[in-house]
Amino acid sequence: MPELSSPLNLTVIGSGVIGLSTAHELASHGHRVRVISDQEPLQTVSAVAAAIWFPYHSENSPAADVLLARTLARFEALSLIPETGVDLRFGVDIERSADADRSWTRHVADAQVVEPSAVPAGALSATSGTVPVITMPTYLEWLQNQCRQLGVIFEQRTVSSMAELSADADAVVLAAGLRGGELLGDDQSVYPIRGQVIRLANTVGLRDWLSDDDHPDGVAYIIPRRDDIIVGGTDVANDTRLEVDEQLAQAMLTRAISLVPELADCAVLEHKVGLRPARETIRLERVAGHEVPVIAAYGHGGGGVTLSWGTAERVVELLEH
Ligand SMILES: Cc1cc2nc3c(=O)[nH]c(=O)nc-3n(C[C@H](O)[C@H](O)[C@H](O)COP(=O)(O)OP(=O)(O)OC[C@H]3O[C@@H](n4cnc5c(N)ncnc54)[C@H](O)[C@@H]3O)c2cc1C
């Protein structure tokens, strides 16, 4: 990366996957970067994510497609470095309607329609492919360390207005997830979609992921990671309960075991809840009207990991061009 003749002093609000990826990208381009967040990376919604590269509850548009493709390429490269927590894994997406969204398959080299004989009973069809699966706690720690090595400074505190940052920053990137809109004051369109997952011990050596969004009893996904398996899920809009719903957990586990019976032998390690920062479209643009130039980067819904590196690259473009 060429050295910039005049590096900028930049502040990123947020240390979830969007804030960290953006801070990393900006610092790699030679800027001086400070990240301010009131939740440490492992306390964020990003740490709850399953996390599979798969567009889910996120914007479906040509602009989002660019973010998807760019992020896939970056994760494919990171999967070659074991300590990142990124692995490429084969899996199957079960389809239960004739108009199932197969847009993800055009990005995935080995994607194909599953033989009818291998489609689970009750489903209409299925597609398969190899995509990145990210063990988020490992990945977020690795990414934060990479940021530190690039000189990024981390501060833990709550930002209550954009004006308080104008003295110290040439520009601010707002990667505040669910709270992005409230800091700008002009955007009430971000809303939570509650997600609950179960973490199981992967003592059965499961490797392939399985997703069944339209399961008649509710969303079902099974994502094997390094040592554990994430079983989901729920997707209830405007439900802000952060406590675990035991009944939902039992129903999720029953659904998952009906799809992959060997899960019955896996011990439950923990339950987790997160509120996805949903918005009709991701907000990824320059925002006028503040004392300091602002770039908004929030509203990634159920696809923040899937769109993270593409978002970070776009922030650099918005800043430098
Ligand atoms: C159960 C579940 C499963 C999921 N699975 C997947 C998946 O498989 N693949 C995928 O791509 N996505 C998945 N997601 C979605 C993904 O987790 C989110 O899209 C992503 O984490 C959003 O990242 P973010 O950085 O925008 O927000 P967050 O991770 O919420 O981070 C927000 C940051 O902003 C900071 N902040 C906010 N306001 C302020 C303020 N005023 N002052 C200081 N700091 C502030 C917070 O402290 C935090 O650090 C899942 C989500 C859930 C809940």
Side-chain angles (χ1 to χ4, degrees):
M1 207 68 65
E3 281 286 308
L4 283 187
S5 52
S6 55
L8 298 170
N9 291 316
L10 302 172
T11 296
V12 175
I13 304 174
S15 65
V17 72
I18 300 298
L20 289 183
S21 314
T22 301
H24 185 281
E25 201 63 7
L26 292 168
S28 302
H29 277 71
H31 298 295
R32 286 188 284 265
V33 183
R34 169 178 67 153
V35 174
I36 304 178
S37 67
D38 50 11
Q39 292 170 318
E40 295 282 318
L42 295 186
Q43 301 168 325
T44 61
V45 179
S46 301
V48 178
I52 185 169
W53 176 96
F54 202 87
Y56 178 74
H57 278 308
S58 63
E59 182 180 330
N60 190 349
S61 69
D65 246 18
V66 174
L67 307 185
L68 271 178
R70 287 179 169 187
T71 308
L72 180 60
R74 297 287 288 263
F75 278 135
E76 282 173 345
L78 290 176
S79 73
L80 302 174
I81 309 169
E83 56 270 29
T84 58
V86 179
D87 298 298
L88 297 182
R89 288 194 188 268
F90 176 84
V92 170
D93 184 39
I94 295 173
E95 301 169 335
R96 294 181 187 265
S97 71
D99 61 347
D101 177 12
R102 289 183 174 175
S103 55
W104 67 279
T105 58
R106 66 174 170 261
H107 301 286
V108 175
D110 69 345
Q112 59 180 343
V113 176
V114 170
E115 284 290 310
S117 59
V119 172
L124 213 61
S125 51
T127 43
S128 67
T130 301
V131 300
V133 169
I134 301 107
T135 302
M136 289 307 284
T138 308
Y139 177 63
L140 290 172
E141 273 194 332
W142 175 83
L143 189 53
Q144 187 176 29
N145 279 333
Q146 293 296 306
C147 286
R148 286 202 173 102
Q149 283 174 28
L150 289 166
V152 175
I153 290 165
F154 287 87
E155 276 178 36
Q156 191 175 8
R157 66 181 168 94
T158 303
V159 176
S160 38
S161 82
M162 300 306 280
E164 73 186 61
L165 304 175
S166 55
D168 303 323
D170 297 317
V172 173
V173 180
L174 184 56
L178 198 53
R179 288 181 284 156
E182 72 190 34
L183 265 177
L184 289 180
D186 69 345
D187 183 6
Q188 264 96 56
S189 62
V190 195
Y191 64 96
I193 298 182
R194 183 179 183 278
Q196 183 173 321
V197 292
I198 309 168
R199 201 163 69 82
L200 301 178
N202 192 357
T203 42
V204 292
L206 194 71
R207 290 192 59 80
D208 296 352
W209 56 270
L210 188 73
S211 162
D212 189 359
D213 276 6
D214 297 324
H215 189 287
D217 298 331
V219 180
Y221 54 84
I222 298 150
I223 316 290
R225 307 194 303 190
R226 293 264 168 104
D227 303 315
D228 56 16
I229 303 169
I230 300 295
V231 164
T234 64
D235 59 351
V236 185
N238 295 313
D239 181 350
T240 54
R241 287 174 307 138
L242 288 174
E243 63 278 10
V244 173
D245 183 323
E246 298 288 348
Q247 258 186 319
L248 274 178
Q250 193 47 54
M252 270 168 11
L253 197 54
T254 305
R255 278 200 301 278
I257 291 171
S258 75
L259 291 164
V260 180
E262 56 263 53
L263 294 180
D265 298 327
C266 299
V268 173
L269 298 176
E270 67 175 331
H271 299 267
K272 292 186 128 191
V273 176
L275 305 179
R276 302 174 179 95
R279 197 173 181 272
E280 199 167 317
T281 57
I282 299 156
R283 191 163 194 198
L284 187 48
E285 61 184 7
R286 284 171 174 268
V287 182
H290 295 270
E291 279 173 47
V292 61
V294 174
I295 296 174
Y298 61 84
H300 292 74
V305 183
T306 305
L307 301 164
S308 55
W309 285 111
T311 298
E313 291 180 18
R314 182 75 192 125
V315 168
V316 173
E317 288 167 4
L318 286 166
L319 190 78
E320 292 183 352
H321 304 291

